[in-house]
């Protein structure tokens, strides 16, 4: 294997690898939103706009990187060989994953880059616009009745039956290599934030409000930013009230699958069980968890646009929903040491679906 594509890469080498695939893996903007900070009575709000990332969300970092490495591990090729259009076109095993849309899109892109196949398990509540995006990468869709977690179970069973390689972003196994690769890909975001804050000359943030589905992004940013943030260096995980699986797991000190239909406007966060490896990192980082209402999610989406921030979905605005919820509740703001001197960092995790449609197809074809 080539030395610049070995598992365990740091974020700069992962970023370089992905930028070879598409220029849309380039660093995304870090926005200063002073009017939003003033309305929330905090010193600063910085927003990392992941809607400018390849495929329109941060998920493209983790799923694509992990998908390529899954193929490399299985075939014995290095990634340069996988991506070489002149290599002998021996059929590759299919990549398999469950998704609510974005992770499956990223895994399907990995298969396409390598000239392979992907089979994506989607639950029947996934919106048509997200389905079309996955299909645009040439993936086969397998429909699953129920929730995202039911799709996770089906994808895992298919991989165990020998139908392909599982590239999951969640697992009950804290040592799952694909999940570790996914989270490593997300670590690119933390490295970019650190560099951008220093280059622009901002003071470092004191609070990170980061949304969680299965918790991979929150874990990656905890690892990459916890020791860098200004005191009190508060990591706050934000979840919809209807799908608060990280809160349930941390309160019970074990991974649990919550019940219910998980329905929320933040459909990318509608997960019933957090990844075991993410929970370990969040516990070690002393992360706090708050849940937000559907009204808060809707308000955050509008509020971000009004503050000259990016257009996004309720999922993408969930970090802001958490910040606004904390500011509005005196007891919660006290618990989080949040006051007028606080500098908050939020992650806008995806672009608004219809506005970003043109960017989704701009990947290199073989």
């Amino acid at each position: 294997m080539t030395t610049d594509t070995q598992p365990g890469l740091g974020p700069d080498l992962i970023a370089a690898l992905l930028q070879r695939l598409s220029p849309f893996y380039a660093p995304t903007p870090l926005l200063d939103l002073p009017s939003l900070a003033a309305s929330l009575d905090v010193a600063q709000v910085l927003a990392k706009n992941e809607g400018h990332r390849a495929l329109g969300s941060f998920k493209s970092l983790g799923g694509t990187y992990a998908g390529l490495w899954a193929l490399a591990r299985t075939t014995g090729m290095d990634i340069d060989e996988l991506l070489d259009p002149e290599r002998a076109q021996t059929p590759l095993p299919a990549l398999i994953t469950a998704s609510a849309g974005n992770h499956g899109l990223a895994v399907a892109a990995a298969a396409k880059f390598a000239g392979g196949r992907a089979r994506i398990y989607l639950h029947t509540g996934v919106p048509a616009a997200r389905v079309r995006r996955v299909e645009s990468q040439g993936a086969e869709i397998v429909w699953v009745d129920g929730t995202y977690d039911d799709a996770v179970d089906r994808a895992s069973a298919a991989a165990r039956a020998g139908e392909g390689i599982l590239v999951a972003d969640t697992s009950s196994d804290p040592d799952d290599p694909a999940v570790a690769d996914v989270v490593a890909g997300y670590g690119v975001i933390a490295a970019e934030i650190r560099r951008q804050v220093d280059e622009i000359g901002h003071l470092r943030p004191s609070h990170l409000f980061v949304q969680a589905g299965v918790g991979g992004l929150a874990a990656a940013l905890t690892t990459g930013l916890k020791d860098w943030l200004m005191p009190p260096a508060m990591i706050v995980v934000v979840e919809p009230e209807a799908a608060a699986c990280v809160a349930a797991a941390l309160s019970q000190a074990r991974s649990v699958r919550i019940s219910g239909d998980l329905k929320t406007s933040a459909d990318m966060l509608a997960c019933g069980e957090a990844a075991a490896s993410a929970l370990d990192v969040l516990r070690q980082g002393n992360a706090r968890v708050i849940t937000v209402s559907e009204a808060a999610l809707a308000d955050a989406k509008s509020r971000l646009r009004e503050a000259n921030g990016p257009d996004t979905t309720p999922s993408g605005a969930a970090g802001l929903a958490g910040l606004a919820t904390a500011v509005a509740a005196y007891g919660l703001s006290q618990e989080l040491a949040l006051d007028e001197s606080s500098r908050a960092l939020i992650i806008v995790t995806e672009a608004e679906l219809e506005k970003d449609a043109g960017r989704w197809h701009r990947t290199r074809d073989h």
Side-chain angles (χ1 to χ4, degrees):
M1 271 178 198
T2 56
T3 56
D4 65 341
T5 53
Q6 300 240 0
L9 290 182
D12 290 342
L13 288 176
I14 294 173
L17 168 62
L18 293 172
Q19 287 178 50
R20 287 168 50 197
L21 306 178
S22 166
F24 290 99
Y25 284 102
T28 56
L30 182 67
L31 308 175
D32 187 3
L33 302 176
S35 65
L36 186 57
S39 72
L40 293 167
D41 198 25
V42 295
Q44 187 174 47
V45 175
L46 296 177
K48 182 68 164 161
N49 183 10
E50 286 298 298
H52 273 232
R53 193 73 68 178
L55 306 177
S57 90
F58 79 100
K59 288 280 188 177
S60 65
L61 293 168
T64 301
Y65 176 66
L68 291 174
W69 263 116
L71 288 170
R73 276 192 295 266
T74 301
T75 63
M77 300 182 198
D78 62 33
I79 290 181
D80 287 338
E81 186 176 358
L82 278 172
L83 297 175
D84 183 358
E86 301 302 321
R87 71 171 170 82
Q89 292 301 308
T90 305
L92 296 172
L95 297 181
I96 293 176
T97 197
S99 180
N102 285 337
H103 176 66
L105 179 66
V107 172
K112 186 176 181 180
F113 283 131
R117 300 169 295 124
R119 183 174 299 124
I120 311 301
Y121 287 73
L122 302 177
H123 68 88
T124 50
V126 174
R130 296 191 185 276
V131 177
R132 289 193 296 270
R133 297 173 69 193
V134 177
E135 290 176 331
S136 76
Q137 296 298 316
E140 174 190 353
I141 304 296
V142 179
W143 290 104
V144 179
D145 290 332
T147 66
Y148 166 76
D149 298 272
D150 294 313
V152 168
D153 293 342
R154 282 282 304 279
S156 298
R160 289 194 300 270
E163 296 178 19
I165 310 168
L166 184 64
V167 188
D169 66 350
T170 185
S171 174
S172 59
D173 177 5
D175 299 316
D176 185 287
V179 175
D181 287 340
V182 168
V183 174
Y186 299 159
V188 170
I189 301 169
E192 289 180 6
I193 290 169
R194 293 171 71 130
R195 189 158 46 243
Q196 288 168 325
V197 165
D198 290 344
E199 288 174 352
I200 297 169
H202 294 309
L203 294 177
R204 295 178 181 182
S206 58
H207 292 69
L208 167 67
F209 286 81
V210 56
Q211 51 271 68
V214 296
L217 175 63
L221 295 186
T222 297
T223 298
L225 298 178
K226 176 69 176 179
D227 294 339
W228 173 83
L229 294 171
M230 289 178 61
M234 190 70 66
I235 306 287
V236 185
V237 178
V238 183
E239 298 184 288
E241 291 174 345
C245 63
V246 173
L250 292 180
S251 68
Q252 298 184 41
R254 61 185 179 89
S255 184
V256 296
R257 182 169 293 190
I258 60 175
S259 59
D261 60 18
L262 308 180
K263 287 186 177 178
T264 170
S265 61
D267 51 354
M268 296 296 93
L269 310 180
C271 306
E273 185 173 353
S277 57
L279 293 172
D280 288 346
V281 171
L282 295 174
R283 288 190 195 99
Q284 293 165 13
N286 194 30
R288 312 298 177 87
V289 187
I290 62 175
T291 59
V292 294
S293 67
E294 292 301 303
L297 289 165
D299 180 67
K301 181 178 182 294
S302 299
R303 195 166 189 170
L304 193 59
R305 182 186 300 113
E306 292 164 2
N308 295 319
D311 290 318
T312 187
T313 64
S315 301
L320 176 56
L323 171 59
T325 297
V327 166
Y330 177 76
L332 187 54
S333 61
Q334 291 292 103
E335 178 185 340
L336 299 178
L338 188 65
D339 58 29
E340 65 277 1
S341 68
S342 299
R343 298 178 180 276
L345 170 65
I346 62 173
I347 313 298
V348 182
T349 51
E350 66 172 354
E352 190 170 39
L353 288 177
E354 298 307 321
K355 285 186 178 293
D356 202 48
R359 296 172 58 90
W360 297 332
H361 306 291
R362 299 178 190 178
T363 55
R364 188 181 73 186
D365 293 328
H366 281 280

